[in-house]
Amino acid sequence: MERFIDVTPEVRLWAEERGALDAPPLLLIMGAQTSGLGWPDELVDALAVRHRVIRYDHRDTGRSSWAFDEAPYALTELAHDATAVLDAFGIARAHVVGMSMGGMLTQLLIADHPKRMLSATLFGTSALSTAPYVRPDGTRVPPEELPGIAPHVLELWARPVEDHGLEAELDRRVEHWRALGGDELPFDAEAARDLERGIVEHTGHHTAGTAHARAGTADMLRTEQLAATDVPTLVVAAPADPLFPPPHPHHLAQAIRGARLKEIPGMGHALPHEVLAPLAAAILEHTDRH
């Protein structure tokens, strides 16, 4: 079932739920500039066997309001959008799964709204913490010295985004997913194109969004809150992630009190078919515990 949620006079969010209404709720929070349809149906359906699964379009993606130029916002406001979605569905507490920027927003929920959380699952993201990463040999590494984004991704992001029509935009998005997916699993260009064509049809246009890259990033750190949380947290490690490569997941698991770490071999910063079954299994094993 689909619905629209009015968050502010300027912002309306699109959301969808699947699964039994009396099943434990599970909220999916996608990454920057990506529609909720970035969560593949195969994964959503696998989770909906045991959960009431909700996915939604961030502001300036999909069918939600594209209003950044008229009403700029900080990234922290996107975490408030997540709680507004839960409110709209009448959900007091939920399991929350966040990918990339969605993983950062989930950390904000862990820190600022722990009573709304049954559990958290994070991947493809970095810790909102100044705590050092402690290597197995005891060496302490400041977060700013952890590996950065791969040069080939930075080069891709530096290119100007111009509108040369639908097919050219789909080409650009497929190239982007190829770069994000890493080099350990085969890349299915046709599947990536089908996903993005579906997102374009869902959105109603093929404009490339830039709002999340321009949104304010102040007040994101939650070092103390993450270190003291009681929210059961699973960190999924993606060894081929070119944005937040190891040891970022290990640092994240150290920064969040009590977090567990689960690696999915070959996984990059994307959701190809090969990782969906092990990812669903990891999420469901975690939510079953809590």
Side-chain angles (χ1 to χ4, degrees):
M1 182 180 73
E2 301 179 13
R3 70 172 64 180
F4 286 93
I5 300 161
D6 291 318
V7 177
T8 72
E10 299 83 14
V11 176
R12 169 173 284 190
L13 304 178
W14 173 89
E16 176 198 62
E17 64 178 338
R18 297 188 190 184
L21 294 180
D22 59 351
L26 188 153
L27 180 68
L28 298 172
I29 307 181
M30 187 30 80
Q33 300 304 159
T34 306
S35 159
L37 268 61
W39 295 104
D41 286 342
E42 180 182 347
L43 177 63
V44 175
D45 290 339
L47 298 175
V49 171
R50 307 223 296 260
H51 288 283
R52 179 188 181 189
V53 180
I54 298 168
R55 60 180 175 176
Y56 68 100
D57 290 339
H58 292 297
R59 307 180 189 197
D60 294 279
T61 73
R63 293 184 187 170
S64 292
S65 301
W66 291 55
F68 183 84
D69 290 335
E70 293 75 31
Y73 49 84
L75 288 182
T76 51
E77 292 186 52
L78 299 183
H80 296 305
D81 288 351
T83 61
V85 171
L86 293 178
D87 290 342
F89 283 93
I91 295 171
R93 302 180 71 196
H95 300 283
V96 181
V97 179
M99 173 180 177
S100 194
M101 182 189 76
M104 296 179 183
L105 300 180
T106 303
Q107 290 177 68
L108 293 178
L109 295 178
I110 292 171
D112 300 344
H113 303 282
K115 293 184 179 180
R116 306 301 301 269
M117 311 280 287
L118 292 171
S119 76
T121 301
L122 314 170
F123 56 95
T125 194
S126 62
L128 301 182
S129 173
T130 60
Y133 165 59
V134 182
R135 291 176 174 149
D137 65 3
T139 305
R140 299 167 71 85
V141 182
E144 60 271 19
E145 295 181 13
L146 295 177
I149 297 171
H152 73 279
V153 176
L154 292 175
E155 189 278 329
L156 190 63
W157 287 353
R159 299 177 190 175
V161 178
E162 300 171 339
D163 187 352
H164 296 290
L166 171 60
E167 296 306 319
E169 174 60 18
L170 291 176
D171 289 342
R172 187 191 68 81
R173 297 187 189 188
V174 169
E175 184 179 7
H176 189 226
W177 284 121
R178 186 191 302 275
L180 294 183
D183 56 7
E184 295 188 18
L185 294 175
F187 179 68
D188 189 337
E190 183 176 354
R193 196 177 194 86
D194 287 345
L195 174 69
E196 288 298 337
R197 193 181 295 278
I199 289 174
V200 168
E201 292 173 355
H202 165 77
T203 303
H205 60 79
H206 64 268
T207 302
T210 62
H212 299 162
R214 295 183 284 145
T217 57
D219 192 32
M220 293 285 286
L221 290 175
R222 296 293 189 275
T223 305
E224 292 79 13
Q225 297 94 323
L226 295 176
T229 187
D230 290 323
V231 176
T233 302
L234 173 68
V235 176
V236 175
D241 188 341
L243 268 60
F244 302 109
H248 278 281
H250 306 78
H251 176 231
L252 181 58
Q254 291 177 0
I256 301 174
R257 179 174 178 263
R260 297 187 303 116
L261 189 69
K262 168 73 174 179
E263 180 175 303
I264 296 183
M267 186 173 179
H269 200 87
L271 296 173
H273 170 75
E274 291 82 358
V275 308
L276 299 183
L279 178 59
I283 294 170
L284 292 173
E285 190 274 337
H286 181 58
T287 59
D288 281 352
R289 285 172 173 244
H290 308 286

